[in-house]
Amino acid sequence: MQFKYAVCFIAIIAALLIFMNIYPVASFRDAAFEAKHASTLNQAAVVASSLSSLPELREEDVGKIMSMLNNIMVTRLVVTNERAQIIYDTSQYENNVGRYAVFAEVMTALEGKDVFRSKYTGEGLVSRAAMPVTSEGVIVGAVYIYDFDIDQAGMLETMRGNLLKVSFVILFLSLLLVFVFSWLLTKRIRSLFKAMQNLGGGRYDYRVEVRGGDEISGLASEFNSLAERLEKTESMRQRFVSDASHELKTPLAAIKLLTDSILQNEGMDGETMREFMQDIGSEADRLTRTTEKLMHITRLETPETAGGVTDMKFVVEKAIRMLETLAADKGVRLDVRLSERCFVKADADDLHQIVFNLVENAIKYNVEKGRVTVLLFKRDRTVRFIVNDTGIGIPDEDMPYIFDRFYRVDKSRESEIGGSGLGLSIVRDVVDRYGGSITASHREHGGTSFEVVFPLASRSEAER
Ligand code: ADP
């Protein structure tokens, strides 16, 4: 990835540098050609117009006029007659007068057209220009100018050289920058990648460092919170599995112990055997209850399904009917006061778990001739469900833990009552799931009070 970034950047920079090297040189050269064009043709025109006063171009007349024109500054100037025969030539090396000037430019000029051509050879700017000399409308000859300019060419070369030097410096600096930046960028991505691999490999405590406020930092902090959630879930899962297996082991061990006793005591009397069998049966019941509750918990941990609206009054009435016998057996009086139309946005079965567990506890942990008061009413757009009992109460030090899984206040007492320590944790999970709250408190004259508060479902939701 770093390589791709670097190549991409370098390609862009190289393109810019190439443009920077070509464009200014080319435009400078064009401008130089332009200037040459004007000045050469201008000089040719001066010569041509000076000669146009002569009816015929002869060597001595031309020489005289040319000696008067002393500001012509070109490399070579040639004047020919109408047959392209050289009459005047500034070239000092050859004695050309009388010869034919077979330059294409001269031929074109003798046809009556101005010509200008220029090119850049790398050493100098070469310009050629020719122009007809007319006398009273008749072409009597031609002026030919050849110019070789090293000054302009030198400037062009210096410019080219400087640009190249600057380009190299820019290229070097940008290569350095590209390398550093792409390395920094990919370094952070690499560290995220490494973190993901660690997480994938089960290292849930691995975190990445979050620096800055860009997208990659956002990704990093998102990753961290994901890892945190996973870590929490994983530790919950581990604790749950170990707690649950421990919870299942106890009744199983009891069953094993009881069956062993029966098998080893061949002469066991029928009455004792019956007792043992009853114990096995109640342990099996306990196992069933525990597994049912465990299943309920795992169901709660799966994402919420779209729930309808339930009138909590019917749920409470049904749960009370189921618990009436238990209350009668324990000698506990049930006092129930329910309001109409207490709509809660929750599943009826889940609400049943709340009501059943709270009322069952209030009966289970009560005293002879005790009382349980169950209230359901609406207040301030909430539905309140309250269970008060006159029971044994919960000690202060246990209060913060009663909603934890498998937590029991007094193990010895509970084993007699047959609780699993899961009821209240299920209640809390359901309440949380539907956006409600639950509190437990001591009552003034002993006993415990549980209060569940749910948002009241609106009329439109209730009638849907
Ligand atoms: P269990 O299945 O043991 O009843 P719960 O989660 O329902 O488990 O309750 C946890 C513990 O809280 C119980 O073991 C009990 O000691 C205590 N507890 C719950 N409700 C009451 C209550 N109404 N009065 C006194 N103690 C209670």
Side-chain angles (χ1 to χ4, degrees):
M1 187 161 170
Q2 183 185 0
F3 179 72
K4 276 191 200 158
Y5 265 111
V7 167
C8 201
F9 280 127
I10 290 169
I12 294 171
I13 288 163
L16 278 175
L17 287 180
I18 290 171
F19 178 75
M20 190 182 117
N21 273 279
I22 290 176
Y23 182 73
V25 174
S27 59
F28 182 83
R29 197 184 52 207
D30 288 349
F33 281 156
E34 203 62 38
K36 270 282 167 236
H37 186 174
S39 77
T40 334
L41 279 182
N42 195 24
Q43 296 189 71
V46 170
V47 176
S49 72
S50 312
L51 296 175
S52 65
S53 57
L54 304 169
E56 197 187 334
L57 300 185
R58 266 179 304 163
E59 204 179 329
E60 54 271 34
D61 303 335
V62 172
K64 234 182 266 166
I65 289 180
M66 289 313 293
S67 63
M68 286 191 288
L69 297 171
N70 49 10
N71 57 347
I72 303 290
M73 311 258 276
V74 292
T75 317
R76 186 180 177 192
L77 192 139
V78 175
V79 179
T80 70
N81 63 14
E82 77 282 8
R83 293 189 307 280
Q85 238 178 338
I86 296 178
I87 295 165
Y88 175 84
D89 192 348
T90 57
S91 172
Q92 292 147 10
Y93 303 109
E94 297 149 81
N95 187 15
N96 286 329
V97 175
R99 291 191 193 164
Y100 285 96
V102 282
F103 307 126
E105 290 82 7
V106 173
M107 300 306 153
T108 319
L110 289 175
E111 282 162 18
K113 281 180 227 144
D114 296 353
V115 207
F116 176 80
R117 285 203 186 101
S118 61
K119 68 172 183 222
Y120 178 65
T121 61
E123 287 154 17
L125 210 59
V126 180
S127 318
R128 290 188 177 89
M131 197 176 265
V133 180
T134 46
S135 177
E136 290 165 10
V138 183
I139 296 174
V140 291
V143 181
Y144 169 80
I145 285 178
Y146 171 84
D147 191 52
F148 188 76
D149 189 337
I150 352 178
D151 291 350
Q152 297 271 20
M155 272 166 71
L156 247 172
E157 276 312 302
T158 326
M159 186 172 165
R160 199 191 289 240
N162 285 344
L163 279 176
L164 213 63
K165 268 187 234 155
V166 171
S167 303
F168 272 117
V169 173
I170 292 178
L171 192 69
F172 177 74
L173 285 180
S174 43
L175 275 179
L176 205 75
L177 277 180
V178 162
F179 183 77
V180 170
F181 273 128
S182 62
W183 185 77
L184 280 179
L185 185 76
T186 50
K187 183 185 153 206
R188 295 167 70 202
I189 295 177
R190 272 198 303 275
S191 77
L192 255 179
F193 185 65
K194 190 173 152 209
M196 280 177 189
Q197 279 179 326
N198 270 300
L199 193 71
R203 278 199 56 192
Y204 298 105
D205 57 338
Y206 198 92
R207 298 284 183 278
V208 283
E209 203 184 324
V210 182
R211 254 185 295 161
D214 59 6
E215 285 85 350
I216 295 184
S217 315
L219 216 64
S221 70
E222 200 54 40
F223 171 86
N224 282 348
S225 61
L226 183 81
E228 203 169 299
R229 276 205 301 279
L230 268 176
E231 192 182 8
K232 217 187 261 169
T233 316
E234 178 58 17
S235 80
M236 260 168 68
R237 189 188 68 82
Q238 280 174 359
R239 213 189 62 217
F240 179 73
V241 169
S242 69
D243 286 355
S245 48
H246 178 257
E247 220 44 46
L248 297 177
K249 234 160 44 196
T250 323
L252 280 175
I255 291 174
K256 175 79 178 134
L257 205 75
L258 289 163
T259 48
D260 281 353
S261 317
I262 296 171
L263 289 175
Q264 278 156 19
N265 279 305
E266 276 172 19
M268 188 181 268
D269 63 288
E271 184 61 23
T272 324
M273 176 98 80
R274 231 187 116 69
E275 248 174 54
F276 274 34
M277 288 305 212
Q278 253 170 4
D279 286 349
I280 292 175
S282 69
E283 286 301 325
D285 283 348
R286 191 143 86 119
L287 266 180
T288 313
R289 279 199 305 275
T290 309
T291 43
E292 268 170 8
K293 286 182 178 175
L294 285 175
M295 268 154 73
H296 189 86
I297 286 175
T298 36
R299 187 161 72 87
L300 277 177
E301 276 166 2
T302 55
E304 191 188 333
T305 47
V309 167
T310 308
D311 188 346
M312 206 161 160
K313 184 178 178 240
F314 299 119
V315 176
V316 179
E317 279 173 346
K318 188 178 148 208
I320 297 289
R321 269 201 304 278
M322 289 166 78
L323 287 164
E324 264 162 0
T325 351
L326 180 70
D329 286 351
K330 279 275 298 188
V332 171
R333 216 180 83 199
L334 281 176
D335 202 348
V336 184
R337 270 170 280 161
L338 311 175
S339 297
E340 300 288 326
R341 301 175 66 80
C342 286
F343 292 113
V344 174
K345 204 161 178 281
D347 183 71
D349 285 346
D350 289 340
L351 290 179
H352 176 81
Q353 290 287 343
I354 300 174
V355 177
F356 190 90
N357 276 304
L358 290 181
V359 180
E360 188 193 29
N361 279 351
I363 300 169
K364 272 198 314 194
Y365 304 110
N366 218 316
V367 291
E368 266 288 309
K369 293 206 161 60
R371 261 175 77 164
V372 171
T373 316
V374 179
L375 307 171
L376 178 74
F377 56 93
K378 288 176 280 190
R379 182 184 292 166
D380 307 330
R381 303 220 50 78
T382 58
V383 171
R384 284 163 198 249
F385 174 65
I386 296 174
V387 181
N388 294 329
D389 66 52
T390 55
I392 53 174
I394 300 169
D396 267 341
E397 65 266 28
D398 294 301
M399 248 333 180
Y401 309 109
I402 52 164
F403 293 107
D404 290 355
R405 273 177 199 168
F406 302 111
Y407 191 84
R408 292 172 193 159
V409 172
D410 179 353
K411 301 270 174 194
S412 60
R413 190 185 73 201
E414 257 81 57
S415 59
E416 199 178 292
I417 296 174
S420 62
L422 285 172
L424 285 182
S425 85
I426 291 177
V427 169
R428 218 252 317 259
D429 286 347
V430 178
V431 169
D432 282 351
R433 189 170 185 232
Y434 292 112
S437 65
I438 181 165
T439 44
S441 54
H442 302 289
R443 298 185 70 213
E444 217 172 297
H445 305 292
T448 318
S449 169
F450 282 89
E451 177 169 7
V452 177
V453 182
F454 276 121
L456 176 69
S458 64
R459 185 172 295 242
S460 60
E461 281 173 324
E463 279 158 12
R464 206 176 285 158

